[in-house]
Amino acid sequence: MTDTAYNFAYLDEQTKRMLRRAILKAIAVPGYQVPFASREMPMPYGWGTGGVQVTAACLCPDDRLKVIDQGADDTTNAVSIRKFFQRTAGVATTERTAEATVIQTRHRIPEAPLTEDQILVYQVPIPEPLRFLEPRETETRKMHELEEYGLMHVKLYEDIARHGHIATSYAYPVKVEGRYVMDPSPIPKFDNPKLSDCPAIQLFGAGREQRIYALPPYTQVVSLDFEDHPFVASRAQHDCDLCGADGSYLDEVIIDDLGGRMFVCSDTDFCTTRRELGHIGRLGAPMTDEVA
Amino acid sequence: MTPAALTGGFADAPLQSAQAFRSILQAMARPGTIHDLTGALPPPPLSVAAGVALLTLADPSTPVHLAGATDTPAVRGWLAFHLGAPLVGAEEADFALGTWADLQPVSRFRIGQPDYPDRSATLIVAVDHLEPEGVRLCGPGIRGAAQLSLPGIPALQANAAMFPLGFDCLFTCGTRIAALPRSTRLEVL
């Protein structure tokens, strides 16, 4: 039910115009973080206020919204944000990746390939990839200006010196169209290859840090690496215990206090779709009407 | 201001601006594609698409420059009522309106600063002819290559060469719009 006490998609029109101008500039300079006047939202910082503001600025009444949190449609954050837009924008919602026109995501890219008809909105906690290497905004801004990204390679090199391989496993830095180094938000590096040459528009919103950045469709995005230590999109070497998928990103679930564990797809829609098609994993049971 | 200035805005601003922004976003994210943009009736010589783009993006916080023939009392009155945007010279504008000839020299417009390339102008250029033909475009947002009928190609090539600095363009023709962000490279066939 739409709550008519609010403007369409909660935000007032002047705020949406400000967001829309920032989004267009972000599209025009892929990978560059555009400052914007982030608003207080009816949820705490860290719960996706940046993503929510970007979604609100993009949403149309005929959109079908999907919200995922670490790949799952049914976690608190995803359910709350989906209900928020059901109530304030009256848009249709779905859990099916293929049916969605706007997908807001926290820390995953869906397994199903995205299409030209979709917009993927990321929730970003720390947009600045150099922030943990250089805390001063004045300095990181200058480093982006001068394309001075040596420090990031030093960080990856120190990983190799200490661990024998690049141990960074999420929020793995990327270079966009050979220019800006960008934080892809804390997605697992397994998802990094999907950032590049993606048919969908990808928008990134950081509410607390007040930054919006973007990847237009078919943008070239390269994960930073070295010739002798090439980038590897790693995942747990198991099959999904529910649907048997051998190429999806997996969550490890502890199932007892005796060291028992199972691996399941982090993308719940991907897993459910496969199970409905009859795929059964090691610990899975056939889908019944009751389960579905 | 004449009573005509009070008409021709959005009838339902939240919904119409959302739909208009989706078209502008798709145009900017996929250079070379042409999209419909309707919902408002600005006074001539502004096209419908130019008027809708302004209603969707401009407000009292964005200085607007009216170039050449677009600078009429009717347009000024319409902008004053519907946007409340200050009218300024080319050098200070966030948005500039006019034909390509009116907007010359385009080197006057803001191209951002090396540390803040987003602080740049967006030119809303009226063209008589907008078709997916002519100069070859490639870059972010384009799968392979696209084509678009564009004016002033040497100036646009120079603008693209300044990346990440530069202005961005919206090309309007009647109720249709296409965009050219600074990231797009142009090749004359």
Side-chain angles (χ1 to χ4, degrees):
Chain A
M1 195 189 76
T2 313
D3 194 330
T4 49
Y6 293 108
N7 190 29
F8 174 73
Y10 185 77
L11 295 171
D12 61 278
E13 288 306 297
Q14 188 159 357
T15 296
K16 282 193 260 180
R17 280 192 294 269
M18 174 271 295
L19 284 160
R20 287 164 178 164
R21 290 192 296 265
I23 291 169
L24 291 183
K25 288 300 176 193
I27 288 279
V29 191
Y32 166 74
Q33 304 160 50
V34 180
F36 78 106
S38 183
R39 298 294 194 250
E40 291 253 7
M41 299 300 286
M43 62 187 77
Y45 285 134
W47 285 54
T49 53
V52 165
Q53 289 178 77
V54 171
T55 300
C58 291
L59 216 52
C60 286
D62 51 356
D63 272 324
R64 190 172 288 274
L65 178 70
K66 172 182 165 84
V67 185
I68 51 174
D69 174 2
Q70 302 272 12
D73 292 275
D74 51 4
T75 51
T76 310
N77 196 217
V79 171
S80 307
I81 292 172
R82 201 160 55 229
K83 281 196 177 153
F84 174 75
F85 282 115
Q86 266 174 331
R87 185 172 159 192
T88 59
V91 293
T93 60
T94 181
E95 297 193 358
R96 299 288 189 199
T97 303
E99 290 172 8
T101 54
V102 176
I103 304 174
Q104 182 172 331
T105 175
R106 175 175 174 271
H107 309 358
R108 266 318 302 280
I109 299 175
E111 302 284 353
L114 300 176
T115 69
E116 292 201 344
D117 300 322
Q118 294 176 315
I119 298 175
L120 185 60
V121 179
Y122 296 75
Q123 302 172 199
V124 183
I126 307 286
E128 177 52 71
L130 304 165
R131 181 61 68 235
F132 292 107
L133 307 171
E134 169 52 65
R136 289 167 295 181
E137 168 70 13
T138 48
E139 294 303 304
T140 53
R141 187 160 286 282
K142 185 68 81 179
M143 289 157 80
H144 284 295
E145 171 187 337
L146 300 175
E147 268 182 277
E148 178 50 71
Y149 295 127
L151 202 54
M152 187 56 90
H153 278 102
V154 170
K155 188 233 179 212
L156 297 176
Y157 168 74
E158 285 181 348
D159 264 12
I160 296 168
R162 205 171 291 168
H163 305 285
H165 63 279
I166 299 177
T168 305
S169 58
Y170 66 95
Y172 192 102
V174 296
K175 198 163 202 181
V176 180
E177 289 281 332
R179 179 57 179 85
Y180 283 99
V181 165
M182 185 190 99
D183 182 342
S185 86
I187 58 172
K189 68 176 171 183
F190 172 82
D191 282 340
N192 270 28
K194 296 184 223 165
L195 292 163
S196 190
D197 219 26
C198 175
I201 298 174
Q202 300 176 82
L203 305 174
F204 298 76
R208 180 188 51 213
E209 303 289 322
Q210 315 201 332
R211 296 289 184 275
I212 286 172
Y213 51 107
L215 296 173
Y218 307 114
T219 297
Q220 299 310 308
V221 181
V222 178
S223 301
L224 299 181
D225 61 0
F226 298 99
E227 279 174 18
D228 52 345
H229 283 273
F231 171 81
V232 180
S234 60
R235 61 183 286 275
Q237 292 305 311
H238 293 271
D239 294 347
C240 172
D241 283 329
L242 292 180
C243 76
D246 61 1
S248 64
Y249 189 74
L250 300 172
D251 286 337
E252 182 181 0
V253 183
I254 306 298
I255 52 177
D256 55 34
D257 57 0
L258 302 169
R261 57 183 187 165
M262 67 188 293
F263 288 91
V264 294
C265 293
S266 113
D267 185 333
T268 51
D269 169 56
F270 178 77
C271 199
T272 309
T273 305
R274 277 180 55 84
R275 293 173 69 206
E276 282 171 358
L277 291 171
H279 298 279
I280 302 174
R282 185 175 64 94
L283 301 174
M287 286 286 268
T288 61
D289 291 342
E290 199 184 329
V291 178
Chain B
M1 195 188 295
T2 60
L6 309 183
T7 63
F10 283 142
D12 186 349
L15 298 187
Q16 287 181 301
S17 67
Q19 253 133 11
F21 176 66
R22 180 63 63 86
S23 297
I24 299 169
L25 175 65
Q26 292 289 359
M28 190 64 94
R30 304 174 197 278
T33 60
I34 297 169
H35 300 262
D36 284 327
L37 196 60
T38 56
L41 286 172
L46 293 189
S47 66
V48 169
V52 173
L54 278 176
L55 287 174
T56 307
L57 299 172
D59 59 29
S61 62
T62 57
V64 171
H65 175 67
L66 297 175
T70 52
D71 192 1
T72 66
V75 171
R76 280 175 171 255
W78 194 79
L79 292 188
F81 179 72
H82 291 281
L83 311 179
L87 297 178
V88 296
E91 294 77 8
E92 298 159 64
D94 279 348
F95 293 96
L97 281 156
T99 64
W100 186 253
D102 288 339
L103 292 165
Q104 299 307 311
V106 288
S107 55
R108 296 176 294 165
F109 295 102
R110 291 164 59 203
I111 57 169
Q113 301 148 228
D115 49 348
Y116 286 97
D118 56 301
R119 296 178 181 174
S120 60
T122 303
L123 312 188
I124 302 176
V125 186
V127 291
D128 298 331
H129 175 74
L130 189 61
E131 297 298 333
E133 60 186 30
V135 67
R136 201 175 116 100
L137 313 177
C138 58
I142 302 166
R143 184 181 205 177
Q147 283 184 286
L148 193 61
S149 54
L150 291 176
I153 289 160
L156 293 173
Q157 282 175 322
N159 184 55
M162 289 189 290
F163 185 89
L165 300 182
F167 52 79
D168 307 302
C169 297
L170 299 173
F171 293 94
T172 59
C173 179
T175 59
R176 297 182 307 142
I177 189 165
L180 191 77
R182 67 194 86 167
S183 59
T184 303
R185 300 177 291 276
L186 296 85
E187 291 169 30
V188 182
L189 293 177

